[in-house]
Amino acid sequence: MIRGQRKIEHIRIAGKTPDGPRSTGLEDVRLLNCSLPELDMEEISLNSSLGDKKLQFPLVVNALTGGSKEARNINRDLAIMCRQYGLAMAVGSQTIALEDPGWKDSFTIVRDYNPNGVVIANISGTAEREAARAAVDMIAADALQLHFNVPQELAMPEGDRCFKGILEKVARIVEICPVPVIAKEVGFGFSRESVRQLYQAGVRIFDTGGQGGTNFIAIEDKRGGMFGGELDAWGIPTAVSLAEIAACDLPVSIIASGGIRSAADAAKAFAMGADMVGIAGPLLRILVRGGIEELDRWINDFLYRLKAVFLMSGARNLAAMQGKPLIILGQTAEWLRARGIDPHLWAQR
Ligand code: FNR
């Protein structure tokens, strides 16, 4: 299977594959209504930053694509939206353009359309350090995402089968990388054990990429994958992964992603300890179906609602939201208790 063909199939199949079957666990998480907020919507600030660059909103358009003509146009439109709203954007895996420089422009277009924005490079956590460095340089990136996608590789007939030495490779990349490194799952979630290992290797930013949204086992199975629909429920839900990382109590930044679909999802993630949220699949679907105007409308509505949830919770900014009480119920609370994490920590602060 040629890599470029795979990218095209991912876009097509992701458009038709629903989220799940398991949920993010965020439905178990509740914020409290604040009846006396003493706030004006105008003064709600969702300013954020990544490295030394400022962002108007703590939202990353997460890694999607590159390496085809269609991908080039998608990346252009996403970059235009990120420039307009002051959002961060990650490109899809750049391996294809390192193997065939003819595809570089499907990635560099993001920088062309958003010269001063926060742009994030993307490559596998199993990459060699030279490849990682080249991915950063290709788009003058502000940060580098290293993606971890073991289940997806194993589901693909043509995927990797050996992951020995992976942590050492990460450490070697962190050592030479001129920008912050983000460890990113792609829909299966990080456990606190994995986070601690990656922290030891030097990683300081974690993107949960949890279960409940885009499901790459289901997508690969529709491409003739090896799992035959039996392992679709594999993964750590986003709410749980977020709590697992927060409970590590390490000085790290957290991006909550995987099934973030609404302003309420995002606000809950911030209250659980996220510094940013990432969204991938829905933005692609809206763009492909409705064009840039539809995507513009969706982002605009999402950001309005996010500010509304902040106001309804009585939070003026991100730091305030990160201190708000949260109630964690149901299976998510059960999971946390089983792992020795007290779900009441959030409720009683
Ligand atoms: C992805 N994702 C992804 N991630 C990554 O690190 N490198 C990549 O090249 C890709 N490619 C890609 C293609 C398509 C079509 C989709 C839908 C997704 C994964 C993505 O960044 C994200 O981690 C997951 O999709 C989970 O987030 P959502 O989609 O549930 O918001």
Side-chain angles (χ1 to χ4, degrees):
M1 163 69 57
I2 302 164
R3 204 181 283 275
Q5 184 57 32
R6 184 163 82 219
K7 305 274 163 193
I8 293 167
E9 289 186 7
H10 280 162
I11 294 172
R12 184 175 54 78
I13 298 173
K16 292 192 279 192
T17 307
D19 288 342
R22 290 259 166 85
S23 79
T24 59
L26 286 166
E27 70 283 0
D28 289 332
V29 179
R30 309 268 185 88
L31 282 162
L32 296 185
N33 180 51
C34 170
S35 305
L36 307 164
E38 293 287 355
L39 283 168
D40 181 335
M41 188 105 170
E42 293 277 299
E43 60 184 326
I44 306 277
S45 159
L46 300 184
N47 286 348
S48 175
S49 59
L50 189 69
D52 50 13
K53 275 210 183 165
K54 300 266 172 273
L55 288 163
Q56 247 171 293
F57 292 101
L59 174 61
V60 189
V61 172
N62 230 341
L64 279 166
T65 197
S68 69
K69 242 173 101 183
E70 186 189 0
R72 184 178 181 278
N73 293 338
I74 289 169
N75 278 342
R76 179 199 59 211
D77 290 350
L78 294 173
I80 291 170
M81 287 295 98
C82 288
R83 184 186 64 206
Q84 180 174 323
Y85 287 100
L87 314 177
M89 175 174 170
V91 296
S93 177
Q94 290 163 267
T95 306
I96 190 165
L98 296 173
E99 288 175 356
D100 178 355
W103 289 121
K104 271 190 189 173
D105 74 332
S106 66
F107 295 97
T108 55
I109 196 161
V110 168
R111 191 42 101 193
D112 298 341
Y113 276 81
N114 194 9
N116 303 315
V118 174
V119 171
I120 305 172
N122 184 289
I123 199 157
S124 166
T126 60
E128 297 300 331
R129 59 176 12 173
E130 295 75 18
R133 178 69 207 240
V136 170
D137 292 345
M138 187 191 301
I139 56 171
D142 301 288
L144 169 67
Q145 284 183 340
L146 293 182
H147 66 251
F148 296 86
N149 65 335
V150 173
Q152 182 188 4
E153 293 292 340
L154 295 178
M156 279 194 276
E158 74 275 26
D160 293 338
R161 296 289 182 266
C162 175
F163 302 91
K164 281 192 167 198
I166 182 169
L167 194 61
E168 180 57 29
K169 282 196 168 157
V170 173
R172 282 170 54 78
I173 291 171
V174 173
E175 226 173 69
I176 57 106
C177 190
V179 293
V181 172
I182 302 167
K184 172 183 180 291
E185 259 289 351
V186 303
F188 307 108
F190 281 120
S191 69
R192 68 176 173 218
E193 288 81 359
S194 299
V195 166
R196 285 192 179 126
Q197 282 179 288
L198 287 162
Y199 183 84
Q200 286 298 321
V203 176
R204 296 293 179 266
I205 310 177
F206 292 88
D207 181 328
T208 59
Q211 183 188 46
T214 298
N215 183 338
F216 261 102
I217 290 177
I219 291 175
E220 295 303 344
D221 277 345
K222 287 189 182 163
R223 293 182 53 241
M226 309 291 293
F227 286 178
E230 286 182 15
L231 290 168
D232 283 6
W234 182 264
I236 304 176
T238 293
V240 170
S241 184
L242 188 47
E244 294 237 348
I245 302 175
C248 287
D249 210 14
L250 293 168
V252 297
S253 297
I254 308 175
I255 301 168
S257 83
I260 301 292
R261 297 293 177 260
S262 66
D265 285 345
K268 292 172 187 178
F270 292 128
M272 286 186 78
D275 300 286
M276 297 182 77
V277 294
I279 306 180
L283 303 179
L284 178 70
R285 283 192 282 273
I286 293 161
L287 181 61
V288 169
R289 279 186 208 147
I292 195 166
E293 296 77 20
E294 194 62 34
L295 183 60
D296 189 354
R297 234 186 326 272
W298 191 90
I299 295 174
N300 193 58
D301 290 351
F302 176 87
L303 295 175
Y304 172 79
R305 290 178 196 140
L306 187 56
K307 281 191 171 183
V309 180
F310 269 62
L311 199 152
M312 295 187 301
S313 310
R316 180 186 305 275
N317 54 30
L318 221 50
M321 185 53 104
Q322 286 168 332
K324 289 290 169 195
L326 264 185
I327 317 298
I328 303 180
L329 304 164
Q331 279 196 4
T332 304
E334 243 177 79
W335 181 313
L336 298 188
R337 273 194 294 270
R339 293 277 284 164
I341 302 167
D342 181 3
H344 296 147
L345 279 179
W346 285 270
Q348 291 172 9
R349 62 189 181 186

